Amino acid sequence: MKKLPFIDLSVILLYLVAMVLVGYLFSKKNKNANQFTTASGRIPGWAVGLSIYATFLSSNTFLGVPGKAFGSNWNAFAFSLSMPLAAWVGAKYFVPFYRSVGEVSAYTNLEKRFGPWARTYAVICFLLTQIARMGSIFFGLSLTLQALTGFNMQTIMLITGACIILYTVMGGIEAVIWTEVVQGILKTLGAILILYLIISNVDGGAAAIMDIGKADHKFSLGSLDLDFTSSGFLVVLLYGFFINLNNFGMDQNYVQRYHTAASKKEAARSVWLCVWIYIPASLLFFIIGTCLYAYYQLNPELLDPVKLQVAAERLGQGASPAQITAMAAQLLPGDYGDKVMPHFMVTMIPTGLVGLIISAILSAGMSTISSGMNASATVFAEDIYKRYIRKDVSDKQGLRLLHIATVIFGLLGMVAGVLMIGITSVLDIWWQLSGIFAGGMLGLFLLGIISKRTGNTAALLATITGIIVILWMTFSAWIPEEYHYLRSGLHANMIIVVGTLVIFLAGLLFTKFQKKGI
């Protein structure tokens, strides 16, 4: 195990203690469930916006984006470019809607609109999405910190998970938001520091990086063709728009923050603040990935340990050194992209700065995980426990319920993270899982908001149709080769696009049939 210098360990310890201390300080204010979930609507809009930004800028961005840029190009940046349009819809329509209904859960209105089944379906989709998201972030976090500290990934998940659970349980949403404000600033500064260290180690500096990047098409946003079978610009742009529409319109992580702001205007401003900070911040991580590519193109021998590690992981414990070496020689940049930035950190960052970088990486994961825990606990309490188990809950009982649920979802996120150990790209796996779970939920929500004539039966039939399509697209690869014509030819990122549109359009169609008495 690599031993970190005392100064680096001190910085990391100071950061973790500070986060837990924030939770303790806000624990004195959490006297009821409303304070735990909405902070009684007392958070300034700029803090809410920074917290939403910190939730977006997770370890999936911190680790996955440089890995994608290193292994391919800037195609995934189209996701960020889709945000302004989704934010416009969110600020203009979704924020006023949720502020007017006054329900802390994003899914209560679905029951009023279509019945209990709609609310339950959306809740299940959301909770599965959150567990998958927390798992992917735990995995990305532990993957990076393993290279920097030498601890195994399970131990890292346990330590970080315990700290996150502790301050989230004690401080509620107010602790989550204020710790995210600090974490958002810290991880942005950490990324800037990493970029400086990479460029300063490249012979020729930024000019050499530009030349190498242009020569190998690293700045490309992907194909502009109308091709939905591969991850071109249009596919990622559409995927990003629908995912971000789901984030701003249906995701409890964000909807819950609308209620923490002091006013509707402040809540809308927080959405735009997040967007205008996140777009340049995400671009920063693509630049980091390209700079890493240029650095290791000039120093290819420095990547040999990474390639050997990836080859050994793929072949398993029974592989011989010769087999590992042979496979390592065949690996492409996309096969080990996620491991490159951690490798650079462990080998090139000078003593004294490692602790700051690790703290930035921790903040990248902890902010999103704490949000997921709080939002999942809120949804469980409001949409499952109070709806189906016990409606009349005292303030003390409600607060205890939220505490227990927060711990449970934190543990489930850790388990999901352990199960993801060994995947190739943390960003790819998260995009696929989120597209699968979010597609049906967003389609149903838009149907309820836009089509006032659609009733319970039409919505249910449309949702069933959408689920069938989503499952077919998800598991098309499992269809035997002799029935290849039954497979979906579309890229996996199109699942949320197609699933959403199928539910919405099928709902309109079934509504029309009902009116005609068909």
Side-chain angles (χ1 to χ4, degrees), residues 121 124-126 128-129 132 239 243 246 428-442 466-467 469-476 491-497 499-500 503:
Y121 168 69
I124 291 172
C125 285
F126 171 76
L128 289 175
T129 303
Y239 169 83
I243 281 290
N246 180 76
D428 282 345
I429 192 68
W430 162 238
W431 277 17
Q432 290 179 20
L433 289 173
S434 62
I436 293 167
F437 295 136
M441 184 166 58
L442 178 60
I467 291 173
V469 171
I470 289 171
L471 291 175
W472 166 64
M473 292 183 68
T474 302
F475 299 108
S476 275
H491 190 270
N493 287 347
M494 290 296 294
I495 292 176
I496 185 174
V497 179
T500 299
I503 290 178

Side-chain angles (χ1 to χ4, degrees), residues 204-217 219 294:
I209 293 170
M210 289 291 293
D211 291 340
I212 294 172
K214 287 179 182 178
D216 292 349
H217 309 288
F219 301 112

Side-chain angles (χ1 to χ4, degrees), residues 67-125:
K68 289 292 287 184
F70 179 92
S72 56
N73 52 33
W74 288 13
N75 174 229
F77 185 58
F79 178 94
S80 301
L81 295 178
S82 72
M83 288 183 69
L85 181 57
W88 179 82
V89 176
K92 186 173 180 61
Y93 298 104
F94 296 152
V95 171
F97 170 75
Y98 286 115
R99 294 283 302 196
S100 64
V101 298
E103 299 284 354
V104 67
S105 169
Y107 314 114
T108 305
N109 184 68
L110 284 175
E111 180 171 2
K112 297 177 182 177
R113 187 69 181 80
F114 296 128
W117 70 267
R119 181 181 184 180
T120 303
Y121 168 69
V123 166
I124 291 172
C125 285

Side-chain angles (χ1 to χ4, degrees), residues 145-165:
L145 297 183
Q146 180 189 42
L148 292 170
T149 65
F151 288 103
N152 66 57
M153 295 174 72
Q154 293 88 339
T155 301
I156 293 169
M157 289 185 200
L158 181 63
I159 295 172
T160 56
C163 291
I164 300 169
I165 290 172

Side-chain angles (χ1 to χ4, degrees), residues 372-386:
M373 289 180 185
N374 187 275
S376 298
T378 301
V379 167
F380 175 81
E382 295 294 325
D383 297 300
I384 297 179
Y385 191 88
K386 293 181 182 179

Side-chain angles (χ1 to χ4, degrees), residues 300 303-315 320-333 335-336:
L303 274 182
D304 289 343
V306 174
K307 295 178 181 179
L308 291 172
Q309 180 188 355
V310 172
E313 290 174 355
R314 292 193 177 185
L315 291 172
S320 66
Q323 291 173 318
I324 293 173
T325 302
M327 172 170 273
Q330 298 174 1
L331 293 176
L332 300 174
D335 295 322
Y336 51 85

Side-chain angles (χ1 to χ4, degrees), residues 49 53 80 83-84 86-87 248 270-280:
Y53 158 70
S80 301
M83 288 183 69
F248 294 128
S270 71
V271 173
W272 282 112
L273 179 61
C274 163
V275 170
W276 298 131
I277 298 176
Y278 181 81
I279 292 175

